[in-house]
Amino acid sequence: MSNTTSPLIFAHPALGRLPARRLLDCVFALAPDGSLLHFHREQCAETGEGTLTLTDAPPQEDRARCRVIPPFVTAFRTETA
């Protein structure tokens, strides 16, 4: 699976700034321990160019059946200058 989305930053209240990718209505963030966190667009707010924050909004009820396959961890690597 190739990731064609732009890199995002997910500002997590406990884990800090995490690399993230958006696929369809899902937001995946790479936690410091290497696990992928899975949220949905209605749970996030854009707070700046390329930055998302977690809100208090719950996911929609039908999200319990969400089966979007997350990107590979390598998709979260950012290029460094």
Side-chain angles (χ1 to χ4, degrees):
M1 168 195 265
S2 65
N3 185 359
T4 59
T5 62
S6 298
L8 296 169
I9 295 296
F10 187 83
H12 191 280
L15 301 174
R17 295 171 57 84
L18 307 174
R21 296 293 184 272
R22 189 176 4 224
L23 289 170
L24 302 173
D25 288 337
C26 298
V27 174
F28 294 95
L30 183 62
D33 67 1
S35 63
L36 290 176
L37 306 177
H38 183 181
F39 302 100
H40 293 99
R41 63 177 171 78
E42 65 271 11
Q43 294 177 275
C44 304
E46 292 194 37
T47 56
E49 189 173 319
T51 302
L52 301 172
T53 59
L54 191 59
T55 66
D56 291 335
Q60 296 174 0
E61 286 185 31
D62 62 339
R63 301 287 192 209
R65 297 186 314 259
C66 182
R67 299 288 183 245
V68 172
I69 298 171
F72 294 113
V73 170
T74 55
F76 292 89
R77 291 194 179 126
T78 58
E79 294 186 23
T80 56

